[in-house]
Amino acid sequence: MKRLVAGVLLALALVACQTQPPDQAATGPVLTGPLTVASQGSFFLGGQDVRSDTLSNSARYEPSGTITNDQVYVHYQTPVDAKPASIALIHGCCLTGKTWETTPDGRMGWDEYFVRSGYPTYVVDQASRGRSAATPTAINAAKVGKSPPDQLPTLFAIGRENAWVNFRFGERYGEVFPGMQFPVEAQAEFWKQMVPDWLESLPTPNPTVPALSELSKRLNNTVLVSHSQSGIYPFQTVSLDPAGVAAIVSIEPGRCPAPTEDVRPYVKLPVLVLFGDYIERSPRWSPRLQGCREFVDATNKAGGRAEVVLLPDVGFHGNSHMLMQDRNSLEVAGWLRQWIEKHVE
Amino acid sequence: MKRLVAGVLLALALVACQTQPPDQAATGPVLTGPLTVASQGSFFLGGQDVRSDTLSNSARYEPSGTITNDQVYVHYQTPVDAKPASIALIHGCCLTGKTWETTPDGRMGWDEYFVRSGYPTYVVDQASRGRSAATPTAINAAKVGKSPPDQLPTLFAIGRENAWVNFRFGERYGEVFPGMQFPVEAQAEFWKQMVPDWLESLPTPNPTVPALSELSKRLNNTVLVSHSQSGIYPFQTVSLDPAGVAAIVSIEPGRCPAPTEDVRPYVKLPVLVLFGDYIERSPRWSPRLQGCREFVDATNKAGGRAEVVLLPDVGFHGNSHMLMQDRNSLEVAGWLRQWIEKHVE
C-alpha cells in the first residue's frame, strides 16, 4: 500500500512537472489567460515650441503659428505587485514602438511579456516618428518657394529588399538562412510597421536621448532596452546623466561607444550588448559586433561589468535582427528577464 | 428592537447608496482599481506595395526598393465577458489615436473607459499619421531634383493659436469660454499630441475608410466612433459596404453627408451626430451643425433613425471640440455608453 501511494504521488508529481517547463514553473510569468494591470496610459516627454510661417501649404489652413516638436510619445502599463525596476523599450531604425507589440504572426509582444513578468513597461516612439510629431515646416517652405529644395529634410524609408539583408533574414532578398526564426510567412505585416525615418535631420544627440533621461529620472531604477539604431541611446543617456538608469540592454546596436571614448559613465552599472545569430555571415553586423566587443573590453578594464552575449552561445539559434519578433521571441525574453533579475536590484 | 434593526438597515442602505452615484451603481463600469483584459495587441489593416527609386535621399541608405503605404495601425483591448458589439475610435485632424488615451491632465481616456464598460475597443491611427506610415518618396524626389518643388505633398500642421479657436477653447487665442471644460492648464501636453497632417495628399476616400470597412467586417457588429475631420469616415464606410457596422457615432464632424446625397445606406442603422457647447458662438462650427441637421432630417424622411444631440441639451455644459478630453469626459462617455446600449444589440 505504501508503495502504491508513493507511486501515485510520483506520477502526480511528474504530471505537474510536465504542465510547464521547469524554468517557467520556477520563476516565469503566466503567459496565457487574462492580463491584469494596475494602470495603463500614455504621455509625452520633452518637446519645444517652434514659431513658423510655413506650418501649412494648404490654402485651407493658416500657415503662421506655434507648434511643438521633438517631444517623445510614451505608452505604459504597470502590473499589480510591480517589481521595483521599470523597463523602457526603444525601437530602432525606420520603425516605431509597434516593434515591441504583437508580432507580425500574431503572438504576444515583449511589451506584454515584461508586464506579465512584473515590470512596469514603457514603450516610446522616437522623436519625429510614430506618434511623436515630425515637423513639416521645411517641406512647406520648399513647396511655396521660400527655400530651395536642397534644404528639404534628409529622409529615408528602407525598402524590403534591403531590410531583408540588413535584418538578417537571409544573405540575399528572398533567401532564408537555414533555421532562421523570423516568421517570414507574415512578412507583409512586418513591412507595414516601417515608417519614414527623420533621424539624419535631427540634432545630436537625438531628442529621444534627453527624453529617455527625463523618463529614467521620473521612474527611477529603469532598464533602458534599445534596439539597432537606438542602440547607442542608453549610453548617450547615461553619459548625459546616470540618474535613474538601473542597467543598459543594447540589442544589436548600430554602434557601441568607441573604446577610445571616456567609458567611466558605464562602469557603474550592468551593461548587456545582445546579438542574434548569423553575425559572422553579415558584412554589416560583424564589424559592429567587433566594435562592441572592444567597447566592452575597455569598459571592463576601467572597472565595469559589461558583457557581449551572442544568443547562439546561450542556446538560442536562428535569431534575426528582429529577435523580439522571432518565433522564439518569448524564450529570448525569458532569458533577458533572468539576466535583469540577476543584475538589477 | 424592530425599529432599531430597521433603522440600522436603513442607515446601511444609505451608506451603500452613497459609495457610487445611482447611475453608475446601476449599470456603469468600475473606473478605479486594476484593469483586467482578455487580450490586447495591435495589427495593420489595408496597405499597398509601392516600388520607388526615391525611398532615400541619404547617402547611407539605398534609394531603390519596395515599401508599403496606406496601411492603418490598430491597437485593441478586449475585456473579459465582452459585449457582442465592438467600438472603433477614429481621431480627427492633426492628431493620432493618442486622442483617446490618457487626457492631457492625466485622467483615463475613452479607450480604457469603453474596455471597462465591456466593449472590445479598437483605436486607429489614420493612414499617413502616427504609426501608420506616410510616404517620403515625393519629398526625396524634390530634394534630389527629380521633380519640381510644387510636386511636394500638401502638408499642414495646425498652430495652437488657430487650434484654440477651432477647438472652441475660447473665442480668441488665450481667452476661455465661461465654464469651458477643456483642461487648459495642461495645454502644453495637448499641443504635443498634434502631428503633421497628410490628408490633402491622400486619395478620396481616405485609405482609412476601406480599412475601417475591413475592420468592421472582421469584428462584425462594430460601432464606428469618429471625430472632427474623420467625422465623415463612418458614413463613407457604410456607403462602401454596410457589412459589420452596428452604428455610426460622429462626434463634431467636419461635415455630414449632404442631404441631397443618396441617404439610403444610412437608414438601416442608428446614427448619432454629437456636438459639444458654444456651437452658436463659432463661425466654423455653427454651419457644420446646420449641415448635419439637414442630413439627419433627410435620412429620417427616408425612413432612418438618425439624431443630432447637443451636449447642453442632455445636461452637459462647457464642452469643447475635444470633448473626449474635457474635465467631464467620462460623464460624457457614460452618456454615450448608455446611448450605445439602447441602440445597439
Side-chain angles (χ1 to χ4, degrees), chain A residues 175-295:
Chain A
E175 289 180 18
V176 176
F177 283 127
M180 201 277 301
Q181 299 265 14
F182 187 83
V184 286
E185 73 282 5
Q187 61 179 283
E189 178 78 2
F190 177 60
W191 307 132
K192 294 180 190 179
Q193 296 186 11
M194 309 200 84
V195 298
D197 199 308
W198 292 65
L199 180 67
E200 298 193 11
S201 303
L202 299 176
T204 302
N206 188 291
T208 309
V209 171
L212 290 174
S213 184
E214 188 185 333
L215 182 67
S216 301
K217 281 181 221 167
R218 190 189 296 193
L219 301 180
N220 207 9
N221 212 24
T222 308
V223 182
L224 296 175
V225 180
S226 61
H227 179 234
S228 196
Q229 167 259 319
S230 77
I232 194 73
Y233 291 179
F235 297 104
Q236 291 173 332
T237 303
V238 166
S239 205
L240 196 69
D241 187 344
V245 182
I248 289 174
V249 176
S250 184
I251 299 175
E252 300 223 344
R255 63 185 174 95
C256 283
T260 48
E261 280 180 34
D262 179 8
V263 295
R264 283 173 299 176
Y266 318 123
V267 302
K268 289 177 195 150
L269 78 176
V271 173
L272 170 65
V273 183
L274 187 66
F275 282 90
D277 206 341
Y278 317 108
I279 302 293
E280 76 291 347
R281 295 175 70 169
S282 167
R284 172 180 287 255
W285 289 103
S286 52
R288 291 175 173 183
L289 169 61
Q290 183 54 30
C292 288
R293 285 201 195 283
E294 289 164 17
F295 161 73

Side-chain angles (χ1 to χ4, degrees), chain B residues 160-184 187 190-191 277-285 318-322 326:
Chain B
R160 65 190 58 170
E161 297 84 352
N162 293 291
W164 186 283
V165 177
N166 294 346
F167 291 7
R168 299 198 318 282
F169 298 163
E171 218 139 13
R172 273 170 292 273
Y173 179 56
E175 289 181 18
V176 175
F177 283 128
M180 202 276 301
Q181 298 265 12
F182 187 83
V184 286
Q187 61 179 284
F190 177 59
W191 307 132
D277 207 342
Y278 316 108
I279 302 294
E280 76 291 348
R281 295 175 70 168
S282 167
R284 171 180 286 254
W285 290 102
N319 282 105
S320 77
H321 182 54
M322 297 304 297
D326 285 346

Side-chain angles (χ1 to χ4, degrees), chain B residues 190 212 254 316:
Chain B
F190 177 59
L212 290 174
F316 297 99

Side-chain angles (χ1 to χ4, degrees), chain A residues 308-328:
Chain A
V308 171
V309 170
L310 273 72
L311 284 177
D313 293 342
V314 293
F316 298 98
H317 296 278
N319 281 105
S320 76
H321 181 55
M322 297 304 296
L323 53 88
M324 73 296 286
Q325 300 184 355
D326 285 345
R327 289 197 185 91
N328 60 352

